[in-house]
Amino acid sequence: MSLVELIGQADERGLAASGLACLDRCIPLLGGDDEVLRPLWAGLADDAGAAEWGERLEQVRGKLIGEFGAGDISGSGSGSGSGEDEAVLLARRMLAAAPVERSAAGVRAWADACSVAALRIHRLLDPLKDAGDSVDARREGRTEGMSPLVAAELRRQITVLELLAGHGPAGLRPALEVSTEGRRVLRAVVSRRSRRRG
């Protein structure tokens, strides 16, 4: 099943986990520590956490907005500048777009947007060129000529959705482990790019 199909069939918890996992893997671009999203992950484990999602989300935003400020986080930048600048902007928008109310409709739109943004981020930061015209083709299952970083991110997105679809709340822990692995990879990529510039 393609990524688009998996998102289309996912329930509210699976969608929230999918969007959160995409954001989690991109945390290195926002300067956040590895534990900053843990309260949101914890809230997905039970239905009671849905009521606290908005409050926890605002706390996370408060920690991550930091130096770039509330005005910039959802800014409509032109996308000009370096690939890393654009990647950071995409990550900020992922956080800004997270719905305060964890409803199925709200998290579906967010999960879909996060999926696209995370793949674009990995495409921008991959030192090897992705041969596809767009990330939409990748999400629909056309995977020929994928660059390694994009291929790995696509695989992680699919895995997270499959884990939640197959195991419900019990799939959250392995989904978090998948996301943690991806975060380490992206942190290493960002670090290497920083060293090359230095």
Side-chain angles (χ1 to χ4, degrees):
M1 204 180 297
S2 73
L3 178 57
V4 169
E5 290 170 325
L6 285 167
I7 290 174
Q9 294 184 14
D11 62 11
E12 178 262 328
R13 180 181 277 112
L15 292 165
S18 176
L20 188 57
C22 288
L23 179 60
D24 201 343
R25 288 190 293 277
C26 296
I27 283 296
L29 291 166
L30 298 178
D33 65 57
D34 288 349
E35 302 296 315
V36 69
L37 297 182
R38 280 301 178 100
L40 290 172
W41 278 107
L44 293 182
D46 55 64
D47 294 332
E52 300 172 3
W53 168 268
E55 181 181 342
R56 293 177 181 183
L57 176 61
E58 291 305 328
Q59 289 172 355
V60 168
R61 282 178 175 148
K63 290 176 182 176
L64 290 177
I65 284 174
E67 63 188 36
F68 52 79
D72 290 339
I73 194 166
S74 56
S76 55
S78 64
S80 60
S82 73
E84 191 165 340
D85 289 341
E86 188 175 351
V88 170
L89 183 58
L90 286 166
R92 291 175 183 173
R93 288 175 176 168
M94 288 165 66
L95 177 58
V100 175
E101 182 181 345
R102 213 180 82 193
S103 65
V107 290
R108 187 177 303 282
W110 181 59
D112 197 56
C114 285
S115 168
V116 172
L119 285 166
R120 286 182 61 196
I121 285 168
H122 285 75
R123 189 175 186 176
L124 286 164
L125 298 181
D126 199 327
L128 300 177
K129 181 173 175 55
D130 185 89
D133 293 332
S134 71
V135 298
D136 290 333
R138 303 316 192 189
R139 296 171 75 241
E140 291 165 2
R142 299 196 294 278
T143 58
E144 302 84 0
M146 272 198 300
S147 59
L149 209 59
V150 174
E153 171 59 17
L154 180 68
R155 188 169 59 249
R156 289 186 186 101
Q157 289 191 23
I158 289 171
T159 299
V160 166
L161 284 160
E162 288 178 340
L163 284 166
L164 270 294
H167 303 285
L172 285 168
R173 182 175 292 276
L176 179 56
E177 291 170 358
V178 168
S179 191
T180 298
E181 176 201 4
R183 188 189 330 120
R184 290 184 186 130
V185 169
L186 196 67
R187 196 178 293 282
V189 170
V190 170
S191 178
R192 280 197 300 272
R193 289 173 67 96
S194 179
R195 286 199 300 272
R196 282 203 300 271
R197 286 200 308 272

